[in-house]
Short mmCIF file of all heavy atoms in Angstrom, two decimals:
data_model
loop_
_atom_site.label_atom_id
_atom_site.label_comp_id
_atom_site.label_asym_id
_atom_site.label_seq_id
_atom_site.Cartn_x
_atom_site.Cartn_y
_atom_site.Cartn_z
N MET A 1 49.96 -29.60 30.98
CA MET A 1 51.01 -30.55 31.42
C MET A 1 50.58 -32.00 30.97
O MET A 1 51.44 -32.88 30.80
CB MET A 1 51.25 -30.47 32.81
CG MET A 1 51.73 -29.11 33.32
SD MET A 1 53.42 -28.80 32.99
CE MET A 1 54.31 -29.94 34.19
N ALA A 2 49.33 -32.25 31.01
CA ALA A 2 48.86 -33.64 30.75
C ALA A 2 49.40 -34.20 29.37
O ALA A 2 49.69 -35.29 29.37
CB ALA A 2 47.28 -33.58 30.84
N GLY A 3 49.30 -33.41 28.45
CA GLY A 3 49.84 -33.88 27.16
C GLY A 3 51.21 -33.88 27.01
O GLY A 3 51.81 -34.31 26.04
N ALA A 4 51.99 -33.30 27.90
CA ALA A 4 53.42 -33.10 27.81
C ALA A 4 54.15 -34.28 28.51
O ALA A 4 55.27 -34.41 28.54
CB ALA A 4 53.94 -31.81 28.32
N ASP A 5 53.46 -35.22 29.13
CA ASP A 5 54.04 -36.31 29.95
C ASP A 5 55.00 -35.80 31.02
O ASP A 5 56.08 -36.32 31.22
CB ASP A 5 54.81 -37.32 29.02
CG ASP A 5 55.14 -38.59 29.71
OD1 ASP A 5 54.32 -39.03 30.54
OD2 ASP A 5 56.07 -39.22 29.24
N LEU A 6 54.65 -34.72 31.67
CA LEU A 6 55.45 -34.19 32.72
C LEU A 6 54.49 -34.10 33.96
O LEU A 6 53.29 -34.02 33.77
CB LEU A 6 55.90 -32.75 32.39
CG LEU A 6 56.78 -32.58 31.25
CD1 LEU A 6 56.99 -31.23 30.88
CD2 LEU A 6 58.31 -33.25 31.48
N ALA A 7 55.13 -34.06 35.16
CA ALA A 7 54.30 -33.92 36.37
C ALA A 7 54.49 -32.60 36.93
O ALA A 7 55.61 -32.14 36.95
CB ALA A 7 54.89 -35.07 37.28
N LEU A 8 53.47 -32.09 37.39
CA LEU A 8 53.58 -30.74 38.08
C LEU A 8 53.75 -31.07 39.52
O LEU A 8 53.00 -31.85 40.14
CB LEU A 8 52.27 -29.90 37.94
CG LEU A 8 52.11 -28.63 38.47
CD1 LEU A 8 53.22 -27.73 38.05
CD2 LEU A 8 50.82 -27.91 38.34
N THR A 9 54.82 -30.55 40.15
CA THR A 9 55.15 -30.87 41.46
C THR A 9 55.17 -29.61 42.24
O THR A 9 55.63 -28.48 41.82
CB THR A 9 56.54 -31.48 41.57
OG1 THR A 9 56.55 -32.67 40.86
CG2 THR A 9 56.82 -31.86 43.11
N THR A 10 54.55 -29.58 43.51
CA THR A 10 54.68 -28.44 44.37
C THR A 10 55.47 -28.79 45.52
O THR A 10 55.68 -29.97 45.93
CB THR A 10 53.23 -27.99 44.87
OG1 THR A 10 52.64 -29.07 45.54
CG2 THR A 10 52.42 -27.61 43.66
N TYR A 11 56.14 -27.76 46.24
CA TYR A 11 57.02 -27.99 47.30
C TYR A 11 56.65 -26.99 48.38
O TYR A 11 56.30 -25.81 48.15
CB TYR A 11 58.51 -27.63 46.90
CG TYR A 11 58.98 -28.64 45.95
CD1 TYR A 11 58.93 -28.27 44.48
CD2 TYR A 11 59.68 -29.77 46.34
CE1 TYR A 11 59.40 -29.17 43.57
CE2 TYR A 11 60.12 -30.72 45.30
CZ TYR A 11 60.02 -30.36 43.92
OH TYR A 11 60.49 -31.32 42.97
N PRO A 12 56.70 -27.32 49.60
CA PRO A 12 56.36 -26.48 50.76
C PRO A 12 57.37 -25.37 50.90
O PRO A 12 58.50 -25.57 50.54
CB PRO A 12 56.38 -27.31 51.90
CG PRO A 12 57.00 -28.63 51.61
CD PRO A 12 56.98 -28.74 50.12
N ARG A 13 56.98 -24.17 51.26
CA ARG A 13 57.77 -23.04 51.35
C ARG A 13 59.12 -23.38 52.25
O ARG A 13 60.18 -22.78 51.92
CB ARG A 13 57.01 -21.88 51.92
CG ARG A 13 57.85 -20.62 52.08
CD ARG A 13 56.91 -19.44 52.40
NE ARG A 13 57.63 -18.25 52.63
CZ ARG A 13 58.36 -17.44 51.79
NH1 ARG A 13 58.48 -17.90 50.54
NH2 ARG A 13 58.90 -16.44 52.25
N GLU A 14 58.96 -24.22 53.15
CA GLU A 14 60.09 -24.56 54.10
C GLU A 14 61.27 -25.14 53.21
O GLU A 14 62.38 -25.15 53.69
CB GLU A 14 59.70 -25.54 55.18
CG GLU A 14 58.69 -25.02 56.16
CD GLU A 14 57.25 -24.95 55.52
OE1 GLU A 14 56.91 -25.99 54.76
OE2 GLU A 14 56.53 -24.07 55.77
N GLN A 15 61.01 -25.68 51.98
CA GLN A 15 61.94 -26.26 51.16
C GLN A 15 62.72 -25.25 50.32
O GLN A 15 63.73 -25.60 49.59
CB GLN A 15 61.49 -27.39 50.41
CG GLN A 15 61.10 -28.61 51.13
CD GLN A 15 60.71 -29.73 50.26
OE1 GLN A 15 60.81 -29.78 49.08
NE2 GLN A 15 60.23 -30.87 50.90
N ASN A 16 62.37 -23.95 50.41
CA ASN A 16 62.90 -22.90 49.47
C ASN A 16 64.40 -22.85 49.60
O ASN A 16 65.11 -22.82 48.58
CB ASN A 16 62.24 -21.53 49.82
CG ASN A 16 60.92 -21.35 49.04
OD1 ASN A 16 60.40 -22.30 48.35
ND2 ASN A 16 60.44 -20.14 49.28
N PRO A 17 65.07 -22.82 50.77
CA PRO A 17 66.44 -22.72 50.90
C PRO A 17 67.15 -23.82 50.26
O PRO A 17 68.10 -23.62 49.46
CB PRO A 17 66.77 -22.82 52.47
CG PRO A 17 65.54 -22.31 53.03
CD PRO A 17 64.32 -22.79 52.18
N SER A 18 66.71 -25.22 50.31
CA SER A 18 67.51 -26.17 49.62
C SER A 18 67.14 -26.17 48.14
O SER A 18 68.07 -26.40 47.40
CB SER A 18 67.06 -27.44 50.19
OG SER A 18 65.71 -27.68 50.15
N LEU A 19 66.01 -25.71 47.73
CA LEU A 19 65.72 -25.63 46.32
C LEU A 19 66.52 -24.55 45.63
O LEU A 19 67.02 -24.77 44.63
CB LEU A 19 64.20 -25.36 46.06
CG LEU A 19 63.32 -26.55 46.48
CD1 LEU A 19 61.72 -26.12 46.47
CD2 LEU A 19 63.51 -27.75 45.55
N LEU A 20 66.44 -23.36 46.23
CA LEU A 20 67.29 -22.33 45.78
C LEU A 20 68.71 -22.54 45.73
O LEU A 20 69.48 -22.28 44.83
CB LEU A 20 66.99 -21.00 46.63
CG LEU A 20 65.66 -20.50 46.29
CD1 LEU A 20 65.41 -19.22 47.35
CD2 LEU A 20 65.40 -19.91 44.99
N ALA A 21 69.26 -23.23 46.77
CA ALA A 21 70.75 -23.61 46.78
C ALA A 21 71.12 -24.44 45.56
O ALA A 21 72.22 -24.44 44.96
CB ALA A 21 71.05 -24.25 48.17
N ALA A 22 70.10 -25.27 45.14
CA ALA A 22 70.33 -26.21 44.09
C ALA A 22 70.14 -25.66 42.71
O ALA A 22 70.61 -26.20 41.74
CB ALA A 22 69.48 -27.50 44.15
N ALA A 23 69.47 -24.44 42.56
CA ALA A 23 69.05 -23.94 41.45
C ALA A 23 70.26 -23.23 40.70
O ALA A 23 71.10 -22.66 41.23
CB ALA A 23 67.94 -23.00 41.52
N ASP A 24 70.18 -23.32 39.29
CA ASP A 24 71.07 -22.65 38.45
C ASP A 24 70.46 -21.35 38.06
O ASP A 24 71.09 -20.24 37.80
CB ASP A 24 71.53 -23.39 37.15
CG ASP A 24 72.36 -24.62 37.55
OD1 ASP A 24 73.14 -24.54 38.39
OD2 ASP A 24 72.17 -25.66 36.81
N LEU A 25 69.13 -21.32 37.81
CA LEU A 25 68.28 -20.08 37.35
C LEU A 25 67.00 -20.27 37.90
O LEU A 25 66.49 -21.45 37.93
CB LEU A 25 68.29 -20.04 35.85
CG LEU A 25 67.48 -19.00 35.32
CD1 LEU A 25 68.11 -17.67 35.53
CD2 LEU A 25 67.32 -19.14 33.58
N VAL A 26 66.42 -19.22 38.43
CA VAL A 26 65.11 -19.24 39.01
C VAL A 26 64.15 -18.41 38.21
O VAL A 26 64.40 -17.17 37.88
CB VAL A 26 65.18 -18.76 40.40
CG1 VAL A 26 63.75 -18.68 41.16
CG2 VAL A 26 66.10 -19.61 41.28
N LEU A 27 63.01 -18.86 37.92
CA LEU A 27 61.94 -18.20 37.24
C LEU A 27 60.93 -17.83 38.45
O LEU A 27 60.43 -18.63 39.11
CB LEU A 27 61.12 -18.99 36.31
CG LEU A 27 61.99 -19.54 35.04
CD1 LEU A 27 61.08 -20.42 34.21
CD2 LEU A 27 62.67 -18.31 34.26
N VAL A 28 60.85 -16.46 38.73
CA VAL A 28 60.24 -15.96 39.80
C VAL A 28 59.07 -14.98 39.61
O VAL A 28 59.32 -14.20 38.71
CB VAL A 28 61.18 -15.52 40.98
CG1 VAL A 28 62.02 -14.35 40.35
CG2 VAL A 28 60.58 -15.23 42.20
N ALA A 29 57.92 -15.13 40.28
CA ALA A 29 56.96 -14.07 40.19
C ALA A 29 57.45 -12.79 40.84
O ALA A 29 58.02 -12.85 41.90
CB ALA A 29 55.63 -14.62 40.75
N SER A 30 57.03 -11.76 40.32
CA SER A 30 57.53 -10.44 40.88
C SER A 30 56.96 -10.20 42.27
O SER A 30 55.92 -10.68 42.62
CB SER A 30 56.92 -9.26 40.06
OG SER A 30 57.43 -8.08 40.57
N GLY A 31 57.70 -9.60 43.14
CA GLY A 31 57.28 -9.32 44.42
C GLY A 31 58.56 -9.60 45.46
O GLY A 31 59.68 -9.62 45.01
N THR A 32 58.24 -9.81 46.71
CA THR A 32 59.24 -10.03 47.69
C THR A 32 59.93 -11.27 47.44
O THR A 32 61.15 -11.49 48.03
CB THR A 32 58.73 -9.95 49.20
OG1 THR A 32 57.59 -10.94 49.30
CG2 THR A 32 58.23 -8.55 49.53
N ALA A 33 59.41 -12.26 46.68
CA ALA A 33 60.16 -13.59 46.48
C ALA A 33 61.44 -13.18 45.71
O ALA A 33 62.41 -13.93 45.84
CB ALA A 33 59.27 -14.42 45.66
N THR A 34 61.51 -12.19 44.86
CA THR A 34 62.80 -11.82 44.20
C THR A 34 63.78 -11.42 45.19
O THR A 34 65.04 -11.71 44.89
CB THR A 34 62.54 -10.60 43.18
OG1 THR A 34 62.10 -9.45 43.92
CG2 THR A 34 61.51 -10.87 42.11
N LEU A 35 63.45 -10.80 46.23
CA LEU A 35 64.57 -10.60 47.40
C LEU A 35 65.09 -11.77 47.90
O LEU A 35 66.26 -11.96 48.32
CB LEU A 35 63.94 -9.58 48.42
CG LEU A 35 63.64 -8.17 47.81
CD1 LEU A 35 63.08 -7.32 48.89
CD2 LEU A 35 64.62 -7.44 47.15
N GLU A 36 64.06 -12.83 48.19
CA GLU A 36 64.57 -13.97 48.69
C GLU A 36 65.57 -14.85 47.71
O GLU A 36 66.51 -15.37 48.24
CB GLU A 36 63.37 -14.98 49.02
CG GLU A 36 63.75 -16.31 49.60
CD GLU A 36 62.55 -17.16 49.99
OE1 GLU A 36 61.39 -16.91 49.54
OE2 GLU A 36 62.70 -18.20 50.60
N VAL A 37 65.25 -14.74 46.52
CA VAL A 37 66.08 -15.35 45.46
C VAL A 37 67.41 -14.64 45.34
O VAL A 37 68.51 -15.20 45.33
CB VAL A 37 65.38 -15.46 44.21
CG1 VAL A 37 66.36 -16.02 42.99
CG2 VAL A 37 64.16 -16.25 44.13
N ALA A 38 67.46 -13.21 45.50
CA ALA A 38 68.62 -12.50 45.56
C ALA A 38 69.45 -12.76 46.79
O ALA A 38 70.64 -12.88 46.69
CB ALA A 38 68.33 -11.02 45.39
N PHE A 39 68.81 -13.06 47.93
CA PHE A 39 69.54 -13.39 49.19
C PHE A 39 70.33 -14.60 48.96
O PHE A 39 71.56 -14.58 49.46
CB PHE A 39 68.52 -13.70 50.24
CG PHE A 39 69.08 -14.11 51.52
CD1 PHE A 39 69.47 -13.07 52.37
CD2 PHE A 39 69.19 -15.33 51.90
CE1 PHE A 39 70.14 -13.58 53.69
CE2 PHE A 39 69.76 -15.90 52.96
CZ PHE A 39 70.22 -14.75 53.94
#
């Protein structure tokens, strides 16, 4: 990321509902997180 002039940002899990509500498409690691995104 350093060479791409982009910042890596992390968000606390508590923000998942608002982040997911705003997303058009989610890239998600396999696991129970997929069920949360599907919810």
Side-chain angles (χ1 to χ4, degrees):
M1 299 282 290
D5 195 31
L6 297 170
L8 181 62
T9 305
T10 58
Y11 297 93
R13 182 167 171 71
E14 296 79 37
Q15 290 185 7
N16 279 3
S18 60
L19 292 170
L20 289 170
D24 293 320
L25 176 68
V26 179
L27 302 177
V28 61
S30 180
T32 56
T34 60
L35 297 178
E36 182 177 10
V37 175
F39 176 85

